[in-house]
Amino acid sequence: MTIVVVEEDRDRAIAIVDALHASGSYDVHVIGNHSSLARRIAALAPDVVLIDIDNPTRDMLEELTLASGPLERPVAMFVSGAAGGLAREAVEAGLSAYVVDGLKPERLKPVLDAAIARFQIVRQMRSELAETRRALEERKVIDRAKGLLMKARGLQEEEAYALLRKAAMDQGRRVAEVAEALVTASGLLS
């Protein structure tokens, strides 16, 4: 597993790297400053990003969050203080873990495991949500197509759906695709 550690303090970075190596076999890269952070993280394509920062500001949190790509990989941020209620914003921004009271080497492995697990759960939920939205959109299109067929041919709802299903089977396409073509064509003709 490749881990990028964003840590400006050299001694703390060394302690973090040592703790990671003590807890597992990781390929660890340290980024010591925030300049071109997004490009540097992207170039390393890590599996996980760990960010250790004393007292982040709202702008700093936003910049680090965007740069680390929390929708693409687990990101854990360790902060020294409560940081003025930034925890909620951090979680909403997609961070997998927002740990107050800094990064302590003995807590690193459990936080890393929790961040990875939370990221996987959230990614699964996003995937399921996208699939549900797609299915609802297809259902709406199918309903519109049935309505068009019912109106144009005087069919009952079941008959309109059966006609769509038969056309889909005849064309080797999905019902939603046939319905979308019908709705699109009727929109162009109206």
Side-chain angles (χ1 to χ4, degrees), residues 67-86:
S68 58
L71 300 180
E72 302 165 15
R73 66 187 60 88
V75 177
M77 182 177 284
F78 297 84
V79 299
S80 296
L86 292 179

Side-chain angles (χ1 to χ4, degrees), residues 94-169:
L95 291 181
S96 302
Y98 183 84
V99 183
V100 178
D101 197 20
L103 194 159
K104 296 186 174 27
E106 66 274 8
R107 295 190 322 184
L108 192 55
K109 177 72 169 130
V111 169
L112 180 64
D113 291 344
I116 291 169
R118 182 175 186 279
F119 174 79
Q120 290 170 341
I121 289 167
V122 170
R123 181 174 52 189
Q124 177 65 30
M125 288 174 24
R126 280 190 186 112
S127 175
E128 289 172 5
L129 178 59
E131 177 59 27
T132 300
R133 284 182 173 157
R134 185 195 59 74
L136 284 172
E137 282 304 312
E138 284 184 357
R139 187 79 241 155
K140 286 181 190 176
V141 169
I142 291 170
D143 286 344
R144 280 189 221 124
K146 286 191 304 187
L148 288 169
L149 288 171
M150 290 165 58
K151 184 177 179 182
R153 296 192 180 182
L155 302 173
Q156 295 296 316
E157 183 176 359
E158 298 80 22
E159 295 169 320
Y161 185 75
L163 188 58
L164 285 171
R165 192 175 58 233
K166 181 177 178 346
M169 289 190 315

